[in-house]
Amino acid sequence: LPYVDSYLPSVELGPWVGFLPQSAGTLLVVAALVLGIAGLFCSGMIYVATRRELWSGVRTLTLFFASAGVSGGAWCTFVLAATGSNATRALMMGVGLATVLVMVAKLVWEWKHLTGPALPLDSELQRRSRTLISQSLGGLRQFRMTMALGGIALLLHAIAASSVLPTTVVAGVAFAAALALMLGEYCERIIYFSSVVYDRMPGTMR
């Protein structure tokens, strides 16, 4: 927030300023983080609560939090790139590289547990789910991979060119990378939701 403060419109708080503690800004940021994490956890638990095998807590929460890390890191990289400040360049590069690493790790995890070929230890439901993805959802899987790999390439280009190209160009490339990665994560969520197979209706009733 301190890096983008000069780009935000000023707000006249008037007499309310005297009632706000100096730590109000920090507390609001911490509260936003805590509430965001809690909301993300609750969103994942909507899947987990159905008690379907393929929507287990580990699988679901891993994907949800990794998606948040990828999307959040990509857009944070764009914001830092748009400032055009030498002081933020190192931070932009660090956040961008961390985002790339998380995206690569997530793709490997998805290939192993979701979109890749069947493994010897897979259950019958997992095999059926992989078959559904490769056949009925093959086009969506390909688009997801294209967006992910394209986003990674654009993000690395923005990082590498941050000290060479003009700020507007670097910010534009970073924006395109963030948009591609976000679209890829959206497709992954559709695949995850659509590829679940089950033998009965979900719920706690037996």
Side-chain angles (χ1 to χ4, degrees), residues 33-122:
L33 290 174
V34 172
L35 292 176
I37 292 173
L40 190 60
F41 177 80
C42 291
S43 297
M45 289 304 296
I46 294 176
Y47 290 78
V48 178
T50 62
R51 298 194 176 186
R52 294 179 181 175
E53 176 186 329
L54 301 181
W55 284 346
S56 65
V58 174
R59 287 166 60 97
T60 301
L61 295 179
T62 297
L63 287 176
F64 272 56
F65 279 95
S67 291
V70 169
S71 298
W75 286 111
C76 185
T77 302
F78 160 66
V79 171
L80 292 172
T83 62
S85 171
N86 292 330
T88 63
R89 183 175 296 125
L91 181 60
M92 185 272 285
M93 295 175 65
V95 173
L97 289 175
T99 302
V100 169
L101 292 176
V102 174
M103 184 72 262
V104 171
K106 187 173 185 292
L107 289 176
V108 172
W109 192 95
E110 289 177 19
W111 181 259
K112 180 179 179 181
H113 297 279
L114 188 65
T115 60
L119 301 176
L121 297 179
D122 282 351

Side-chain angles (χ1 to χ4, degrees), residues 67 71 103 106 144 181-189:
S67 291
S71 298
M103 184 72 262
K106 187 173 185 292
R144 187 270 184 281
L181 291 175
M182 188 179 69
L183 287 175
E185 294 306 298
Y186 180 71
C187 290
E188 177 269 307
R189 196 55 40 82

